[in-house]
Amino acid sequence: MPDLLPLLGSALVLGLLGGGHCLGMCGGLMGALTLAIPPEQRGRRLRLLIAYNLGRILSYASAGLLLGLAGVALASSPLAIGLRVLAALLLIAMGLYLAGWWSGLTRIEALGRGLWRHVQPVATRLLPVSSLPRALLLGALWGWLPCGLVYSTLLWAASQGDALHSAALMLAFGVGTWPVLLATGLAAQQVGALLRNRGVRMAGGVMVMLFGVWTLPGPHQHWLMGH
């Protein structure tokens, strides 16, 4: 467990730093979900927004567990190093995207659009949201929205070689994204303005790239852990 704590902290910070991307990908959706709350339910808006996000985070953890099982199967094979290198490169690409220096990672999101085309009609039938279980289920479906940040983090989590650790890392990542999207749902414009700030995005992008460099296999990992 002590060895997992730094990784959980990294996943949490990665979710926080990726808040700008989450705002761009999901901010509009969060606003739409808020508007879809029936007028008689507006007094329960905070609870419904929490249920949306809880469902989304649980879907991340489920995806982490599923992909983590595949990672365990590959852990003892030569492909394990390749998976870790791919995860590191995707994290570096995500950092470049967050900083506004390269947007090639958005092409990877196209890979998940086929799945989302099947999920979206089911999600639409849950509107308008009239209960907490309905909001939780809608959030769980929302978690499968194509997202390069989630894909990058999933591969990084799966490369740990333990399915439960992968699920825990994705859970921590989801918790990290929570404040931004919850604030967006509550119409906190100041948060959105802060995360769209050029300096904040560049700083976040550099931090995510450093996570990617740290994920790359090599002797530099021991040096970084020692410092």
Side-chain angles (χ1 to χ4, degrees):
M1 185 63 183
D3 294 337
L4 183 62
L5 289 178
L7 293 174
L8 289 173
S10 299
L12 183 68
V13 173
L14 184 59
L16 286 169
L17 293 176
H21 181 68
C22 291
L23 192 63
M25 282 290 295
C26 304
L29 180 57
M30 176 61 86
L33 290 176
T34 303
L35 292 174
I37 298 173
E40 64 273 13
Q41 298 283 333
R42 291 294 167 86
R44 303 174 62 199
R45 183 173 63 167
L46 179 58
R47 281 179 287 173
L48 291 172
L49 290 174
I50 289 174
Y52 285 145
N53 283 282
L54 181 59
R56 177 178 60 86
I57 291 169
L58 290 177
S59 71
Y60 290 165
S62 300
L65 181 65
L66 292 174
L67 204 59
L69 290 171
V72 171
L74 296 175
S76 57
S77 74
L79 294 176
I81 296 295
L83 177 63
R84 195 168 184 87
V85 170
L86 178 60
L89 293 177
L90 283 175
L91 285 172
I92 293 171
M94 175 52 67
L96 291 170
Y97 173 79
L98 291 175
W101 295 330
W102 185 65
S103 58
L105 190 64
T106 54
R107 298 171 189 168
I108 296 177
E109 293 173 352
L111 298 176
R113 287 175 189 158
L115 173 63
W116 181 244
R117 277 197 294 268
H118 296 286
V119 174
Q120 188 176 20
V122 180
T124 303
R125 285 198 292 271
L126 293 171
L127 297 174
V129 178
S130 56
S131 65
L132 291 177
R134 203 177 183 99
L136 186 68
L137 181 56
L138 185 58
L141 293 173
W142 169 23
W144 298 97
L145 185 73
C147 175
L149 177 62
V150 174
Y151 294 163
S152 304
T153 311
L154 261 176
L155 280 177
W156 170 66
S159 69
Q160 305 305 316
D162 186 302
L164 291 179
H165 286 184
S166 299
L169 291 176
M170 289 306 298
L171 187 66
F173 165 77
V175 170
T177 65
W178 198 327
V180 172
L181 289 176
L182 188 60
T184 303
L186 294 172
Q189 296 180 353
Q190 296 86 347
V191 175
L194 175 65
L195 290 172
R196 284 191 292 268
N197 180 274
R198 174 75 172 164
V200 172
R201 288 182 62 85
M202 288 177 64
V206 170
M207 287 294 293
V208 173
M209 283 187 280
L210 288 175
F211 279 131
V213 172
W214 176 60
T215 302
L216 281 170
H220 65 286
Q221 286 186 326
H222 300 289
W223 182 86
L224 289 171
M225 288 297 289
H227 291 75

